[in-house]
Amino acid sequence: MPTTTPIKPASWSYAESFVAEDEILAAARSRAEEVGVTPIGSGGGAALRFLASVLDARAVVEIGTGTGVSGLWLLRGMRADGVLTTVDIEAEHQRLAKETFTEAGIPPNRARTIAGAGLDVLPRLTDGHYDLVFCDGDKREYAAYLKEALRLLRPGGVVVFDNALWHDRVADPAQRDEETVTIRDLGRAILEHDALVPVLLPVGDGLLAAKKEWAPEEA
């Protein structure tokens, strides 16, 4: 039995906009609309900034650059010397993201953009080097992203997946399309993984996060 009543739309909207976005993020969202990209919501972005800040993140990987909305949220939470490595198959989207970062006063050396498919790029990145891995690419590849993230994260690092509720489809067992099933299976795999501490946040379209536990041999 649930211990609370479902959140009302007004409360959800209040929570989503609790941390306000500035004109730079608004401009990035306008660019996203122009090129047909759906960026993370403001509530999810605020959660990313919070996680990056709590982790004192120096190295972050992002799969799905878009026009820089999520990347800017991450950069604003990271250490002043932190570097975001952001991957996207569309070089034009990354050019727009660079505009966003420049407008926000982010030094060029803090955002490393790599054009390419996530599963082509991730295997080339350094094991155990990253504090946070944010996944917002091809939903059908989420399970493979998790495998790569577990390799890339330092002990104590966090992996985050956007669209974990996938437009209310994941919670509905009647929905059996490939993307929905993949995200549903991802949640189950994270729940059952002995080395992960999971949480599903109902912000935006759902944010699934998991901390990679410290293992004795890694301590």
Side-chain angles (χ1 to χ4, degrees):
M1 291 290 292
T3 57
T4 59
T5 56
I7 190 170
K8 295 179 180 178
S11 294
W12 184 88
S13 297
Y14 177 80
E16 279 292 300
S17 60
F18 182 72
V19 180
E21 293 191 331
D22 60 13
E23 66 280 0
I24 297 169
L25 283 164
R29 289 191 182 280
S30 294
R31 295 186 189 107
E33 186 174 357
E34 290 171 5
V35 297
V37 171
T38 303
I40 194 168
S42 56
L48 289 180
R49 186 183 70 166
F50 177 81
L51 287 170
S53 177
V54 166
L55 291 165
D56 198 24
R58 177 178 283 171
V60 174
V61 176
E62 174 185 52
I63 307 161
T65 308
T67 58
V69 174
S70 52
L72 184 54
W73 275 111
L74 286 163
L75 284 161
R76 285 176 168 174
M78 294 167 65
R79 296 168 53 117
D81 60 349
V83 176
L84 172 70
T85 299
T86 181
V87 182
D88 201 296
I89 201 166
E90 296 288 347
E92 173 62 14
H93 295 172
Q94 291 192 319
R95 185 188 67 79
L96 296 173
K98 288 178 181 177
E99 286 186 21
T100 297
F101 301 153
T102 298
E103 288 176 3
I106 303 295
N109 63 347
R110 290 199 59 209
R112 177 173 64 147
T113 56
I114 302 177
L119 294 181
D120 291 336
V121 176
L122 293 178
R124 306 202 304 263
L125 301 181
T126 305
D127 291 14
H129 176 70
Y130 296 92
D131 304 295
L132 192 155
V133 176
F134 173 57
C135 307
D136 193 17
D138 188 335
K139 311 310 169 194
R140 297 166 298 180
E141 297 179 347
Y142 267 17
Y145 294 162
L146 175 62
K147 182 178 178 181
E148 290 295 329
L150 290 173
R151 178 183 60 80
L152 294 171
L153 286 171
R154 63 164 175 81
V158 172
V159 60
V160 184
F161 293 87
D162 193 22
N163 303 113
L165 298 175
W166 199 230
H167 316 301
D168 296 319
R169 298 176 71 85
V170 172
D172 181 359
Q175 303 298 328
R176 302 294 301 169
D177 61 278
E178 183 180 3
E179 291 174 325
T180 300
V181 170
T182 298
I183 297 170
R184 190 181 293 134
D185 288 347
L186 171 77
R188 188 177 300 113
I190 288 176
L191 278 174
E192 295 173 353
H193 200 296
D194 291 339
L196 293 174
V197 178
V199 65
L200 176 56
L201 303 174
V203 295
D205 192 31
L207 210 60
L208 177 60
K211 175 190 171 186
K212 180 180 177 180
E213 282 281 72
W214 289 87
E217 63 272 17
E218 295 170 328

